[in-house]
């Protein structure tokens, strides 16, 4: 315990260290990239001992973007356990005679972020194997394990596939493939749910042409209005905003193909327990988290974080806000030696610009993660892919950097582990944020605009160049 106290005390004192050459070089890297040095905060430490090596503004809470997933996913693994699997079940609430279920059939979501149409087809197959061809009661879709939301964050574009709706029952990461074609003045469009080896057209999803820019959601049910200014032929991945209703209709379509007649779905909590007749278990949590950290799927992170917080609180259901506060409180309880002031987790994905974490706090997360094997779950990354310029250290060889990125307009984060040229294992967190520009972007948000502005793109290029130079300096120096 005393060793841990000294270790975290070193991290907490990071911001009080006097300026020295490495920090001066960091400021120079930002200046060379055209950014103010004051927009850059970072910490560098020995990954094995936790000993502080270098820092700048290390206790300043910063917008982390998707690097927040490191903190939330690590907490989820410790709360739920490395053997945890998410379970989706179907229950029968009555007797089965002559192929008829005299009662309710319930599809019950268990917060599985990886459930896809193939898994729904398999659940239907199990229902058919149970001898059911008709249901006299209701077809209940219980999605109440998690809060129902039409999108993950209100300041993100409505048509962004990374900002879908959320409930306790997801399918295909709550995204659908919309394709269109205009031929001889006729507009044809369709929506499909696509998974490996299977493609399901969703006839209940409206897709029509209008003057939207470029996609406008249909109000009240699943559907999209596509801009008349789009190319004559194309496709895009768009978010599902009513995931429970969509999953229910996919389940019904598979049931119809299997000779099972189901009534229209009743979405809400089941009123009575039933006998489990079908079950799907996800892969283990670390396997899922590895993909979350690699592909940065926001829905998966939110669902996992919420399910972990639900268990931590012993609750039957939970909201996104409650989950974020629970995860922040979990870290404060787990590592009380660390000053967690300013930590804010509005959602486990880091999609919200209200999220905040300091370099010191992220370092504490990474040190805890190193203890339980987090580096193996982190994706390997290049340091930016650019060749060294005049006077710059050479690019990092493959396999030397394992880290999670975070990117949005005027926000760039990177946190993880770096193998230095000497072989020394380093941990680091870098946050680069132009807070006034980010706040202005939030204030001017148009929910129908998908594209990132050109000024924001140029800023991100400069931020990546600063980040890349820091990594190369550290690899060479330590």
């Amino acid at each position: 315990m005393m060793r841990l106290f000294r270790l975290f005390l070193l991290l907490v004192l990071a911001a009080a260290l006097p300026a020295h050459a490495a920090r001066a070089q960091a400021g120079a890297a930002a200046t060379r990239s055209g950014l103010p040095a004051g927009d850059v905060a970072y910490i560098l430490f020995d990954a094995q001992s936790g000993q502080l090596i270098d820092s700048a503004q290390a206790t300043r809470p910063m917008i982390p973007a998707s690097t927040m997933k490191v903190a939330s996913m690590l907490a989820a693994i410790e709360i739920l356990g490395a053997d945890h699997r998410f379970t989706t079940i179907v229950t029968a609430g009555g007797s089965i005679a002559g192929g008829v279920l005299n009662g309710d059939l319930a599809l019950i979501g268990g917060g599985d972020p990886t459930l896809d149409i193939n898994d729904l087809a398999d659940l239907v197959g199990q229902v058919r194997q149970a001898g059911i061809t008709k249901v006299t009661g209701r077809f209940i879709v219980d999605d109440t394990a998690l809060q129902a939301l039409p999108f993950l964050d209100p300041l993100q574009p409505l048509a962004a596939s990374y900002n879908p709706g959320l409930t306790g029952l997801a399918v295909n990461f709550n995204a659908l493939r919309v394709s269109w074609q205009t031929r001889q003045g006729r507009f044809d469009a369709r929506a499909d749910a696509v998974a490996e080896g299977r493609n399901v057209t969703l006839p209940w999803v409206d897709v029509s042409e209008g003057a939207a820019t470029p996609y406008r959601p249909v109000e009240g049910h699943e559907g999209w209005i596509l801009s008349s200014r789009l190319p004559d032929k194309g496709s895009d991945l768009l978010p599902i905003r009513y995931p429970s209703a969509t999953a229910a209709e996919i389940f019904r379509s598979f049931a119809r193909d299997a000779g099972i007649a189901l009534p229209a779905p009743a979405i809400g909590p089941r009123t009575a327990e039933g006998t489990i007749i079908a079950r799907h278990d996800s892969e283990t949590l670390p396997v899922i988290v590895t993909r979350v950290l690699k592909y940065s799927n926001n829905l998966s992170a939110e669902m996992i974080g919420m399910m972990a917080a639900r268990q931590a609180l012993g609750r039957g259901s939970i909201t996104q806000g409650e989950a974020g506060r629970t995860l922040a409180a979990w870290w404060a309880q787990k590592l009380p030696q660390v000053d967690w002031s300013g930590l804010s987790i509005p959602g486990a994905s880091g999609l919200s610009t209200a999220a905040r974490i300091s370099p010191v706090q992220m370092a504490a997360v990474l040190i805890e993660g190193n203890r339980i094997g987090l580096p193996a779950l982190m994706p390997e990354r290049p340091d930016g892919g650019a060749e060294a310029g005049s006077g710059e250290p050479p690019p990092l060889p493959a396999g030397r950097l394992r880290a999670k990125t975070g990117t949005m307009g005027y926000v760039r984060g990177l946190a993880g582990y770096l193998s230095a040229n000497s072989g020394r294992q380093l941990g680091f967190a870098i946050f680069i944020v132009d807070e006034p520009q980010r706040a202005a972007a939030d204030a001017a948000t148009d929910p129908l605009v998908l594209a990132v502005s050109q000024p924001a793109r140029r800023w991100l290029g400069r931020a990546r160049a600063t980040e890349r130079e820091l990594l190369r300096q550290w690899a060479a120096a330590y």
Side-chain angles (χ1 to χ4, degrees):
M1 181 61 72
M2 183 57 65
R3 187 186 73 84
L4 285 175
F5 179 78
R6 287 196 300 267
L7 182 154
F8 289 116
L9 183 62
L10 283 172
L11 295 177
V12 172
L13 291 175
L17 290 181
H20 54 69
R23 246 178 298 167
Q25 290 173 358
T31 301
R32 279 192 291 274
S33 301
L35 298 178
D39 288 352
V40 182
Y42 69 82
I43 194 165
L44 179 70
F45 58 94
D46 186 286
Q48 301 303 319
S49 69
Q51 180 182 4
L52 175 69
I53 297 172
D54 187 33
S55 69
Q57 303 191 90
T59 59
R60 177 184 170 187
M62 302 284 276
I63 303 173
S66 283
T67 62
M68 183 62 84
K69 292 181 174 73
V70 179
S72 57
M73 294 302 94
L74 182 60
I77 289 174
E78 295 212 38
I79 292 168
L80 293 170
D83 295 329
H84 183 80
R85 298 175 188 265
F86 300 99
T87 300
T88 307
I89 61 173
V90 180
T91 63
S95 61
I96 302 171
V100 177
L101 170 61
N102 296 295
D104 295 339
L105 188 80
L107 171 63
I108 303 167
D112 182 357
T114 65
L115 191 75
D116 67 17
I117 58 175
N118 287 322
D119 301 324
L120 289 178
D122 180 65
L123 286 169
V124 168
Q126 293 180 56
V127 172
R128 188 66 182 83
Q129 288 175 5
I132 296 173
T133 58
K134 183 179 179 181
V135 174
T136 62
R138 297 170 298 166
F139 171 40
I140 299 171
V141 178
D142 188 337
D143 62 356
T144 56
L146 302 177
Q147 179 187 20
L149 296 170
F151 39 72
L152 299 181
D153 186 82
L155 291 180
Q156 299 295 331
L158 295 179
S161 60
Y162 57 78
N163 189 32
L166 180 148
T167 69
L169 179 65
V171 61
N172 281 25
F173 302 104
N174 290 350
L176 52 84
R177 175 68 61 183
V178 172
S179 54
W180 66 88
Q181 184 172 5
T182 301
R183 223 181 254 175
Q184 297 179 339
R186 178 179 173 177
F187 176 79
D188 291 312
R190 58 186 283 174
D192 295 279
V194 181
E196 184 177 355
R198 184 176 261 119
N199 181 78
V200 179
T201 300
L202 311 180
W204 56 88
V205 175
D206 257 349
V207 185
S208 57
E209 186 182 26
T213 308
Y215 312 111
R216 183 186 300 274
V218 175
E219 293 302 323
H221 63 90
E222 204 68 65
W224 292 92
I225 301 171
L226 309 184
S227 171
S228 57
R229 294 184 290 276
L230 287 169
D232 287 344
K233 183 178 181 179
S235 66
D236 211 341
L237 198 64
L238 296 179
I240 292 172
R241 296 172 303 122
Y242 302 94
S244 301
T246 300
E249 291 299 343
I250 292 171
F251 189 93
R252 282 183 83 209
S253 71
F254 286 143
R256 185 168 53 251
D257 293 343
I260 304 171
L262 293 180
I267 297 174
R270 65 192 188 279
T271 55
E273 295 295 326
T275 301
I276 296 175
I277 59 170
R279 174 186 180 121
H280 172 76
D281 293 318
S282 73
E283 295 175 287
T284 58
L285 184 54
V287 173
I288 298 173
V289 165
T290 299
R291 291 199 291 267
V292 171
L293 296 178
K294 181 176 181 179
Y295 299 109
S296 206
N297 185 274
N298 292 314
L299 176 71
S300 296
E302 295 289 352
M303 293 182 73
I304 292 169
M306 292 171 76
M307 290 298 288
R310 180 175 175 261
Q311 177 156 314
L313 294 175
R315 296 269 295 276
S317 63
I318 196 166
T319 68
Q320 187 183 41
E322 290 170 334
R325 291 189 292 273
T326 300
L327 294 176
W330 183 88
W331 277 111
Q333 183 177 18
K334 177 72 176 180
L335 303 175
Q337 305 92 339
V338 179
D339 182 0
W340 294 99
S341 301
L343 176 67
S344 175
I345 308 180
S349 67
L351 189 59
S352 170
T353 56
R356 294 291 187 279
I357 192 169
S358 72
V360 160
Q361 292 163 351
M362 185 61 80
V365 170
L366 292 168
I367 291 169
E368 171 67 11
N370 196 45
R371 183 183 67 81
I372 66 167
L374 177 62
L377 305 183
M378 298 281 268
E380 290 188 13
R381 297 198 179 277
D383 68 348
E387 292 301 318
S390 176
E392 288 187 32
L396 298 176
R400 294 273 294 277
L401 179 65
R402 286 185 172 271
K404 179 73 191 79
T405 59
T407 305
M408 59 177 68
Y410 302 106
V411 176
R412 176 67 179 179
L414 189 71
Y417 307 93
L418 170 66
S419 178
N421 295 352
S422 66
R424 187 178 185 183
Q425 299 303 303
L426 307 173
F428 69 91
I430 304 170
F431 299 123
I432 306 174
V433 181
D434 186 329
E435 296 211 13
Q437 290 276 30
R438 183 62 238 184
D442 284 345
T445 293
D446 183 339
L448 297 177
V449 173
L450 278 166
V452 177
S453 71
Q454 284 302 317
R457 288 181 184 276
R458 288 192 293 270
W459 183 94
L460 284 169
R462 293 192 290 269
R464 288 190 183 100
T466 301
E467 174 188 282
R468 183 169 60 246
E469 188 168 344
L470 281 173
L471 291 169
R472 293 178 182 182
Q473 286 175 2
W474 292 340
Y478 303 108

